[in-house]
Amino acid sequence: MWGGEENADARHAVSLAVDTRGIGDVLFAGMTAPLPVRVPYYYFMDHQPLWDDLPMLTEEWYGRNLWQYDPEKAKELWDATGYGEISETLEYYAYNTTLTDGLGQVASDLKRNLGWNIKLNSLDYSSFNGPLAAGKLPGMFWEWAAGFPELGGTVYQRWNVNGSVNRENLNDPIINEASAAMLVATDNDEMVALAKIAMLRYGDMAYGFEALLSPSVQVGGYPLQPWVKNFRYGTYSGGYYYYGQLLQHVWLDDHNSVIG
C-alpha cells in the first residue's frame, strides 16, 4: 500500500493523522520550525522557516503534505482507500530518549486518528543501519539521511532511483528527471528551480514527512553559499567534524559569488 502514485492518498492520510508540530512543541517546549524534508532550507530561503511562512511554503515548495495536521481529512482519505485497520512495526534506532518519546506520540496519533496499531521496534545500531543503508527496511520506519555539500547531490543522491542514499527506494519519473538535470545544471537559479520541482512532487506524493526537530536550539555551522568550496557541511553539535582544522582547507570561488 505504500508504493506508487495510486497510493499517494494513503500516504497523505498517514501524514495528516500525525500532529508533527504538536509533538515537537511538547518535546522541545515550542522551539520548533517547519523545516523541509531532506533539502536544507538555506538553499532557497534567506532565513529559517517560521510557522507564519507555512502557507507560502506549502504552495511554493512543500506541496500538500509537509507539516500539515488534519485528522478528519486523514480519516476521510484513509477510509476511501479501503485498507482498514493496520498493524505495523515501526523500526528505529534509539539515538536518544527524545526520539523514543516522539515516535511513541506518532504511534498514539495513528491509533487515535486512524485506528492503527503501531509497535515500536528499537533495534541495535547494526541491525537498524545496515538494512537502512541498503534500502531494505520493510514497511514503516524512521530514518536519518546522509548530508551532501551541494544542492544537486543532495536531491539526486537522496531521491533519484539511482541515488546512493535513496532509503525509500523512490522511483518517481518527475523526481528522477529533475534530479538528474541538477547534476549538470551550471546556473544556480536553474538548480533551485529544479529542486523546487522535486520538492513539490515529493510533498504532493507524500513519500515521507518530517517530525521531531528542534532547530531553534541546535548549535550549527553551515556554509550557506555555493562559492564556499571544500567544506563538508555538518553541525558543531553533532560532533562529526572539527571545523578548527577543516577551515584552513576552505577556499572561495569568486566566479560564483555575488556581492551586494
Side-chain angles (χ1 to χ4, degrees):
M1 68 179 182
W2 295 120
E5 186 170 350
E6 68 276 10
N7 282 308
D9 280 350
R11 297 188 299 269
H12 188 45
V14 175
S15 180
L16 288 176
V18 177
D19 184 6
T20 49
R21 180 181 182 179
I23 294 171
D25 284 347
V26 169
L27 294 175
F28 302 112
M31 292 182 285
T32 59
L35 299 185
V37 170
R38 304 290 177 269
V39 181
Y41 69 85
Y42 45 74
Y43 284 121
F44 59 91
M45 290 188 71
D46 60 4
H47 65 274
Q48 178 179 285
L50 306 173
W51 289 109
D52 287 345
D53 297 321
L54 188 56
M56 177 275 293
L57 290 167
T58 298
E59 180 177 351
E60 296 187 15
W61 294 97
Y62 291 178
R64 65 173 181 160
N65 183 55
L66 192 58
W67 293 109
Q68 306 296 318
Y69 178 55
D70 188 338
E72 292 185 4
K73 181 66 174 179
K75 188 176 188 309
E76 176 186 335
L77 287 172
W78 185 254
D79 288 346
T81 68
Y83 287 128
E85 293 185 7
I86 294 292
S87 295
E88 266 277 9
T89 298
L90 198 161
E91 315 279 6
Y92 76 108
Y93 171 71
Y95 283 93
N96 50 56
T97 56
T98 300
L99 179 59
T100 299
D101 292 343
L103 292 178
Q105 289 300 310
V106 170
S108 181
D109 280 357
L110 290 173
K111 176 67 174 178
R112 178 174 62 256
N113 294 323
L114 297 184
W116 283 36
N117 295 300
I118 301 295
K119 176 184 178 182
L120 299 186
N121 186 20
S122 176
L123 302 173
D124 64 61
Y125 189 82
S126 296
S127 297
F128 175 75
N129 277 291
L132 176 67
K136 294 183 178 180
L137 280 177
M140 188 176 184
F141 55 91
W142 173 87
E143 64 171 329
W144 60 271
F148 294 87
E150 42 80 32
L151 183 56
T154 295
V155 176
Y156 181 89
Q157 301 299 351
R158 291 175 173 178
W159 289 348
N160 189 278
V161 64
N162 296 314
S164 61
V165 289
N166 182 352
R167 314 291 200 202
E168 306 94 331
N169 293 307
L170 297 181
N171 187 5
D172 184 287
I174 294 175
I175 294 178
N176 288 341
E177 181 178 359
S179 58
M182 292 178 73
L183 292 184
V184 296
T186 57
D187 179 80
N188 187 65
D189 290 340
E190 179 188 6
M191 184 81 76
V192 173
L194 290 166
K196 181 176 183 176
I197 292 172
M199 290 173 64
L200 284 171
R201 178 67 173 180
Y202 189 96
D204 284 339
M205 290 294 99
Y207 288 128
F209 61 91
E210 196 70 272
L212 316 178
L213 293 179
S214 180
S216 298
V217 296
Q218 288 182 350
V219 178
Y222 297 90
L224 302 184
Q225 304 297 347
W227 56 84
V228 180
K229 304 297 183 181
N230 204 36
F231 189 103
R232 182 177 181 183
Y233 108 102
T235 64
Y236 294 112
S237 57
Y240 297 112
Y241 317 109
Y242 178 57
Y243 292 109
Q245 294 177 346
L246 182 62
L247 285 174
Q248 64 183 309
H249 302 293
V250 170
W251 56 279
L252 304 180
D253 180 1
D254 61 5
H255 294 292
N256 294 320
S257 63
V258 177
I259 300 176

